[in-house]
Amino acid sequence: MSETMTHGYVAEGYGRVADAFRRNFRHGEIGAAVAVFDGDTPVVDLWGGPRDPVRGLPWERDTIAPVFSCTKGVAALILAMLVSRGQLDYDEPVVRYWPEFAAHGKDEVTVRQLIDHQVGLHILRDIRMTLDDLHDLDSVAAVLAAQRPGWAPGTRQGYHPVSIGLYLNELVRRADPAGRSIRTFLAEEISGPLGVDFTLGLDADLGGDRIAHLTRTIGLDLRHERNLPWNQAIPALLRRGQLFRALSVPDLGMPEDFVRPEIMSVELPGSNGVGSARGLARIYAAGLTGELPIAPEVRARIADPGPVPAPDAVLRTPTRFHLGFRKSCPAFPFGSSDHRAYGTPGMGGSLGFADPATGLSFAYVPNRLGLTLNGDRRCLRLARAVFDSSTRRTRTRTEPRRSAAR
């Protein structure tokens, strides 16, 4: 079996990342990209394999792909920008910005509790919402505000895979003086100024053949999966349980079909981000260095390790959320051992995060969809290689020498 050709470059000292990236292709990878920034300097930018194995189209430097819940981390950075401007406060009640949210005893729910999945709003009760309904953001806001919590807010946590993006979108619309949605805010204040490939959804004329073809892991490819989350997978396959219900708000179909126009045309700020690994890593780098207008004290709060891992009522495994981000924990280890790194993984294996302890920002985007929502072996292998490289190299602030990837 011939080895998959990879392209791009790595800076001196980051050969372990290139080795891990190539190794992934020997363990079921199809096409993928990985990028790392040291501060604002790119030190890893690799891609390889086919973006569309059916048509034999290679993964190119400008290939983009859906990154699913990695979108949540970008939305959390937008919240941090609003907090820095004094337009939002993590510890204020949501009703300060969104009065209608008070319905059904939610009047004391804080922004922090909402964005850290502590209110039990992962499903929609007593109403069915379709993708068509999502085009009317005012109507969506009315539906969300009328929901009742699944438990006493702040007493439990349960991951909101889809619905949290809808709540975040309305919170941003209420807090932003211009009333912008996350899609518009992202384009005007992050992706545009930084010149990166990262959008919320995708206009029909923006993707074309640049979009990677997503492939579900089935059949013999299952041999490349380890430690399958059966406590998540079996209820989902049987179409029952909290996770299945939470993933059906609304029903988005199968993950491999996520580039359908009807999904790409709506705003799902927790689910339908589209971009390159380079673009996602660059956004995290800009947040880490202050290039994005996030105040130092807010960056320090984001970098705090946050609470201890707690049982998750939806994922059914201990998780750690903090100010809209995921934090490292035994079930999902990434970044330095001090747990200051922050980011979010995406369904199928993508991952983006920043690590204040090392000054590194990381993103990985594949097109073979793994079977876990909690960190895929491929991305965690790469994240570990990045950490190993950072602890072994001599840190300088000069431009690193770059070596070509194979």
Side-chain angles (χ1 to χ4, degrees):
M1 181 177 178
S2 61
E3 184 165 314
T4 298
M5 185 72 70
T6 60
H7 309 274
Y9 65 83
V10 293
E12 184 176 354
Y14 286 90
R16 290 171 178 266
V17 183
D19 291 342
F21 187 62
R22 287 192 290 266
R23 190 176 306 120
N24 277 346
F25 286 97
R26 297 195 290 271
H27 295 278
E29 191 68 281
I30 296 175
V34 61
V36 181
F37 281 74
D38 180 357
D40 58 4
T41 301
V43 293
V44 175
D45 189 5
L46 297 172
W47 60 91
R51 71 180 186 273
D52 187 337
V54 175
R55 294 187 292 166
L57 301 176
W59 197 291
E60 306 281 5
R61 188 179 188 277
D62 66 346
T63 295
I64 55 177
V67 296
F68 301 97
S69 287
C70 287
T71 318
K72 295 178 174 68
V74 177
L77 288 173
I78 289 174
L79 294 187
M81 292 169 65
L82 293 173
V83 171
S84 298
R85 294 169 178 171
Q87 295 160 352
L88 190 67
D89 189 315
Y90 292 124
D91 297 313
E92 284 291 320
V94 174
V95 296
R96 173 179 170 183
Y97 315 98
W98 183 2
E100 298 87 347
F101 185 81
H104 294 295
K106 302 194 298 296
D107 51 301
E108 295 185 1
V109 170
T110 65
V111 171
R112 181 195 297 266
Q113 289 172 334
L114 176 64
I115 66 178
D116 284 351
H117 308 262
Q118 296 178 2
V119 190
L121 297 172
H122 52 294
I123 62 176
L124 293 180
R125 294 173 173 82
D126 305 321
I127 191 168
R128 180 178 176 81
M129 184 178 288
T130 68
L131 281 169
D132 286 341
D133 295 330
L134 297 183
H135 289 282
D136 186 341
L137 296 185
D138 291 335
S139 294
V140 171
V143 169
L144 298 177
Q147 291 297 299
R148 65 182 186 275
W151 50 76
T155 62
R156 301 175 65 188
Q157 72 179 35
Y159 184 50
H160 298 27
V162 179
S163 65
I164 193 62
L166 305 179
Y167 284 99
L168 291 176
N169 208 22
E170 188 59 26
L171 188 58
V172 168
R173 288 212 306 157
R174 300 295 181 117
D176 178 42
R180 292 172 294 181
S181 67
I182 288 179
R183 171 182 276 173
T184 302
F185 194 108
L186 172 64
E188 293 181 353
E189 298 217 27
I190 298 180
S191 298
L194 295 179
V196 299
D197 263 330
F198 198 91
T199 61
L200 185 58
L202 199 65
D203 292 335
D205 59 342
L206 291 181
D209 272 349
R210 289 205 300 141
I211 304 176
H213 175 86
L214 302 177
T215 301
R216 193 189 337 172
T217 297
I218 56 175
L220 290 177
D221 286 335
L222 289 171
R223 69 188 186 278
H224 301 301
E225 299 291 321
R226 296 291 187 273
N227 301 319
L228 290 176
W230 295 114
N231 60 343
Q232 297 173 7
I234 291 177
L237 289 171
L238 295 175
R239 302 178 66 84
R240 66 189 186 196
Q242 294 293 324
L243 180 57
F244 172 76
R245 295 176 69 195
L247 287 169
S248 304
V249 184
D251 186 359
L252 302 176
M254 299 304 295
E256 62 268 26
D257 298 325
F258 234 65
V259 295
R260 299 196 318 268
E262 60 268 31
I263 292 180
M264 288 292 102
S265 65
V266 299
E267 294 195 48
L268 293 166
S271 310
N272 73 339
V274 180
S276 64
R278 186 184 313 103
L280 181 56
R282 176 77 173 90
I283 290 172
Y284 272 106
L288 190 61
T289 64
E291 185 177 358
L292 290 182
I294 300 175
E297 60 271 21
V298 177
R299 295 203 304 271
R301 293 182 71 182
I302 292 171
D304 186 88
V308 299
D312 192 284
V314 175
L315 292 177
R316 302 179 68 184
T317 189
T319 53
R320 188 198 305 256
F321 297 102
H322 179 59
L323 301 182
F325 298 97
R326 292 286 295 275
K327 290 282 185 169
S328 177
C329 65
F332 175 42
F334 65 93
S336 301
S337 58
D338 61 5
H339 303 302
R340 296 177 66 216
Y342 52 87
T344 52
M347 177 185 289
S350 53
L351 174 65
F353 70 85
D355 187 358
T358 61
L360 299 176
S361 301
F362 168 95
Y364 163 76
V365 177
N367 64 353
R368 180 177 74 81
L369 298 173
L371 299 178
T372 178
L373 297 177
N374 213 36
D376 187 276
R377 289 180 73 236
R378 295 166 295 168
C379 67
L380 294 181
R381 182 184 292 126
L382 286 164
R384 181 64 192 178
V386 170
F387 176 73
D388 288 346
S389 297
S390 72
T391 58
R392 286 170 170 79
R393 67 193 173 95
T394 301
R395 294 292 299 272
T396 70
R397 307 312 297 175
T398 59
E399 178 70 15
R401 293 187 308 180
R402 296 169 182 168
S403 56
R406 281 173 36 189

